[in-house]
Amino acid sequence: MQEANKMGFGSNCGCEYGGYGYGASAPSYGGGGFVLIVVLFILLIIVGASWHHSGKRIITSEKEVQILKNLKALILNCSLKPSNEKSNTDALLQDFIDVFEKKQVETETIRVVDYNISFGVDDDMGNGDEWPVIANKIEHADILLVGTPIWLGEKSSVAKMVMERISGSGSKTNASGQPIYYNKVAGAVVTGNEDGAKHAARDILFSLGHYGFSLPPNPLSYWVGEAGPGASYIEAEGYKNKFTKNNAHVASNNLVHLAVILANNPIPTEGNVLD
């Protein structure tokens, strides 16, 4: 019993093998045991804090910081309105721009209708076609974001034309011999005061993925008003919609995350180099 007391345990044992039987007194801890408990408690607090903050990604690599500074995002607003008119799609795209700029991603927005773009599926349709200017910007961008309003439940005619023209560079290759759009990421933004957001986004995102762009998880943010004529995004204060804002926050961050991943680890060339 004296040995047991030296170890810090009480002497009253109620079972044959040293366990605590009925009527047995609870164990009492000596000074050493108390210190051990305190240490374990502190460790649990530290581990718990680590788990709690595990979702907050901290950039520690100098290389990754440099990659972020070198990333370029190109935003194509496929509104039917020229840039001298207010665009509801522009208003939602601003949520993405805010995140890109916060992460030091160089960002450029183009109102597509400001350019003289010909119909067709070639790189350059000639006769003053200005698509090559935009195509060159796409080829030098790491992130492509396509925004469109909804018309009759569909993406705009401008967005349709952009998808057709992007396909014109499908035979081009990057320095590794892969399709030109490999290692680039893409997303979509849709606004409208009637149904059709997911239909429009589906068409855009499928087309971009088919052309070789990589899509991160949740690459879309959209807003739609009530069915029929009514207020659009700005007038209806769509920026207050938590669902839309959350999707914009997630999509914009995921676009950057995937762009950094592909910059560090490009898609291997095995099996996908064009002849």
Side-chain angles (χ1 to χ4, degrees), residues 95 223 233-234 236-246:
D95 285 354
W223 181 90
Y233 182 78
I234 296 174
E237 298 183 329
Y239 57 86
K240 294 182 179 179
N241 186 289
K242 292 183 179 180
F243 176 81
T244 299
K245 287 193 72 67
N246 181 65

Side-chain angles (χ1 to χ4, degrees), residues 174 176-179 182-183 214 261-262 264-274:
N174 60 23
S176 299
Q178 300 166 310
Y182 269 40
N183 301 311
S214 296
I261 290 172
L262 291 175
N264 272 310
N265 304 281
I267 297 172
T269 58
E270 182 180 358
N272 55 44
V273 174
L274 297 180

Side-chain angles (χ1 to χ4, degrees), residues 160-183:
K160 174 66 174 176
M161 179 176 61
V162 165
M163 293 300 105
E164 293 169 346
R165 295 307 303 269
I166 287 177
S167 71
S169 298
S171 61
K172 285 188 173 183
T173 59
N174 60 23
S176 299
Q178 300 166 310
I180 192 68
Y181 302 126
Y182 269 40
N183 301 311

